[in-house]
Amino acid sequence: MSSHSAAPISASTAIQFSDPIPAEVDVVVIGGGVIGILTALYLNRLGLSAYVVEKGRVAGEQSSRNWGWIRQLGRDEAELPVMMESSRLWQQLDADTGKRTGFRRSGILYLASTQKELDKQEKWLEIGKRHQLDVTLLDAASVATRVGTGSGGRRWAGGLWSPGDGRAEPWLAVPAIARLAQSEGVGIRESSAARTIEMAAGKVSGVHTEHGFIAASQVIVAGGAWSSLLLKNLGISIPQLTVRSTVAQTAPMAEVFAGSAHDEELAFRRREDGGYTITSLDGHDLLIGPDAFRHLPRWLSVAMKSLGDTRFRPYAPKHYPDAWGTARQWSPNEQTPFERCRVLEPVPDQRCIERARQGFALRFPELGAPHILNAWAGMIDAMPDVVPVVDRVPSCEGLIVATGMSGHGFGIGPGFGKAIANLAAGHETGHDLTRFRFSRFTDGSRLVPGPSL
Ligand SMILES: NCCCC(=O)O
């Protein structure tokens, strides 16, 4: 479970990044996930010195535990231009890393079991066309030519097909990009928690880490499931919650589809190692804690649909971001929750794994029942409107928040990383980031939930 090539990155994965704490940099990036690493890479390319502090391991949490989809299809319309740029950047990053990301433009297919589901999918076609995305509505016969279910396998009514979408291998890609960033001059340190963000006269002045202070006039919080807790210690509240999602990996099997696909119950992606990453789409677990209560009104007002897909659990494991006993306030000299739990490694849901295994076998009977090589879970940083916060914090000069990727941050990481770097550099981001603004939860706006997958 600890090798970079065989499983998600965990607390037992060997430390690979241990650059010494600098006295001062232009920007401290808190969080070594896909967003933090890509932001640091592009900051450095813009000529700003950047240092990434990661309390656990680079990509140890959702960045190595996600499905590995590089997906434009079905995106929220505000995310789509960022994602379209991301798609181009993935190609470049794969080349820059010496083809170590596993990136392949193998297409994504949204399958519909019934005409009613297909009619729902067709609505997104308009969004895709508006952005000149190559996306096509397929009928049952066209789906059957692309997805080899064999005799006795599932027949779908049709689907939405995006040939320009792709896939990459999460636990290979993010560390490979981190090594690229490091080779270009970015400092990265694992097992090094940011404890507090130092402010002076309303401006950021640096970060206290467990290994010393780094002076910086800008700080980017890209802490995934931990961002809300870190910000709360600074008196900043965002209605972010974390939900547990389970994924399984099959042993190598024949190729029935080279890309990624889902229908109403199952998602699957062909892997570079010849297996499939599979997930049962029967919901996720919300581990209840104080934040869940605090933010419930905000969630109820916008997220009724996704709440229906939520299984409520009475408490999170000890030391999780929203566990009942987790400290909410601390000083720079104290041990923090980030040091008590270096990497979130939730126990996968066995029923979810079994449903995914059976669902895959039902759709592709000629392959035989898949042998599950490995299964894992991740804690997804979710916002009630299913789109992230990517913005400067108005009350704190020099502070940028990039969090709440809501389960679709992997593919869009390069696009957001570049946009955030431009934001920090004072350049045009090239994208309209209004939908991701920090103030949307407090400025009286009506929140519109984006598509959830
Ligand atoms: N929740 C996973 C959706 C697929 C993606 O990352 O785009």
Side-chain angles (χ1 to χ4, degrees):
M1 291 288 282
S2 64
S3 152
H4 268 201
S5 61
I9 294 160
S10 70
S12 56
T13 303
I15 290 176
Q16 308 214 347
F17 301 92
S18 49
D19 292 322
I21 296 279
E24 182 170 8
V25 286
D26 293 324
V27 188
V28 174
V29 178
I30 301 177
V34 66
I35 300 294
I37 292 295
L38 265 303
T39 299
L41 174 83
Y42 291 120
L43 279 168
N44 188 66
R45 288 183 178 181
L46 290 173
L48 273 72
S49 56
Y51 188 83
V52 181
V53 276
E54 165 52 54
K55 67 181 178 51
R57 299 290 183 275
V58 163
E61 297 185 339
Q62 201 45 28
S63 293
S64 69
R65 292 160 191 272
N66 65 79
W67 302 355
W69 290 28
I70 314 286
R71 176 178 64 92
Q72 301 160 104
L73 186 62
R75 285 264 168 191
D76 184 274
E77 190 163 7
E79 284 185 357
L80 190 54
V82 184
M83 185 58 225
M84 290 173 79
E85 182 176 17
S86 226
S87 176
R88 293 187 288 273
L89 292 171
W90 269 106
Q91 182 106 41
Q92 184 61 50
L93 287 163
D94 191 50
D96 291 352
T97 58
K99 297 203 168 296
R100 292 206 165 81
T101 69
F103 175 74
R104 232 184 115 184
R105 217 176 274 290
S106 44
I108 291 184
L109 180 53
Y110 278 20
L111 295 158
S113 300
T114 61
Q115 186 58 45
K116 196 171 158 206
E117 287 299 326
L118 195 58
D119 292 345
K120 277 196 230 161
Q121 289 187 358
E122 193 174 359
K123 294 194 180 109
W124 194 87
L125 205 54
E126 277 312 304
I127 295 179
K129 298 280 179 213
R130 254 202 305 278
H131 294 263
Q132 287 85 49
L133 189 71
D134 179 10
V135 54
T136 320
L137 194 69
L138 302 181
D139 61 14
S142 306
V143 165
T145 61
R146 283 183 168 80
V147 187
T149 54
S151 60
R154 177 68 68 97
R155 293 285 175 267
W156 288 279
L160 214 48
W161 167 235
S162 170
D165 275 327
R167 61 184 222 220
E169 300 303 330
W171 61 66
L172 302 178
V174 182
I177 297 167
R179 283 190 289 276
L180 172 71
Q182 192 184 42
S183 74
E184 294 183 12
V186 172
I188 305 174
R189 183 156 180 164
E190 295 176 308
S191 204
S192 190
R195 286 181 166 169
T196 58
I197 298 166
E198 184 72 15
M199 303 285 300
K203 292 184 186 173
V204 163
S205 59
V207 173
H208 292 278
T209 78
E210 64 181 296
H211 297 112
F213 182 71
I214 310 170
S217 59
Q218 297 206 74
V219 171
I220 293 167
V221 175
W226 299 89
S227 297
S228 160
L229 188 62
L230 178 71
L231 291 169
K232 189 158 192 333
N233 191 54
L234 202 58
I236 296 168
S237 174
I238 54 169
Q240 177 191 306
L241 296 179
T242 54
V243 293
R244 181 180 68 164
S245 173
T246 292
V247 179
Q249 169 191 356
T250 75
M253 305 172 92
E255 181 169 293
V256 288
F257 181 58
S260 313
H262 79 81
D263 59 22
E264 300 79 26
E265 291 158 359
L266 181 82
F268 54 95
R269 170 179 74 82
R270 181 74 172 159
R271 301 169 54 86
E272 194 179 53
D273 60 21
Y276 294 87
T277 294
I278 59 175
T279 309
S280 165
L281 299 179
D282 59 350
H284 44 253
D285 301 305
L286 176 65
L287 315 178
I288 295 173
D291 286 350
F293 277 100
R294 204 178 353 261
H295 299 313
L296 191 64
R298 180 42 92 198
W299 277 74
L300 283 176
S301 71
V302 279
M304 290 307 289
K305 186 169 166 287
S306 58
L307 283 180
D309 299 331
T310 305
R311 290 178 295 266
F312 294 92
R313 309 288 182 210
Y315 55 87
K318 199 173 175 187
H319 300 317
Y320 270 37
D322 194 26
W324 289 99
T326 296
R328 311 277 153 172
Q329 288 282 292
W330 54 86
S331 72
N333 306 319
E334 286 177 85
Q335 195 192 48
T336 67
F338 317 120
E339 293 141 83
R340 295 192 186 102
C341 178
R342 295 282 177 187
V343 180
L344 288 165
E345 298 176 59
V347 177
D349 181 335
Q350 289 303 324
R351 284 163 305 179
C352 183
I353 297 165
E354 188 49 27
R355 276 193 291 269
R357 198 179 74 85
Q358 287 180 10
F360 194 80
L362 198 71
R363 283 157 181 78
F364 306 105
E366 287 188 354
L367 294 184
H371 171 59
I372 301 298
L373 271 188
N374 197 4
W376 58 88
M379 296 303 295
I380 293 174
D381 48 324
M383 303 307 294
D385 51 0
V386 207
V387 290
V389 177
V390 177
D391 199 3
R392 291 188 172 281
V393 178
S395 57
C396 299
E397 195 178 321
L399 183 61
I400 293 175
V401 172
T403 198
M405 293 291 147
S406 302
H408 45 263
F410 178 68
I412 206 167
F416 268 138
K418 198 168 177 195
I420 298 157
N422 275 315
L423 195 63
H427 298 167
E428 289 294 321
T429 63
H431 297 292
D432 180 358
L433 302 181
T434 312
R435 178 142 166 74
F436 316 117
R437 72 195 179 285
F438 181 85
S439 62
R440 70 185 192 265
F441 303 107
T442 51
D443 66 5
S445 315
R446 191 174 77 84
L447 297 178
V448 180
S452 53
L453 174 61

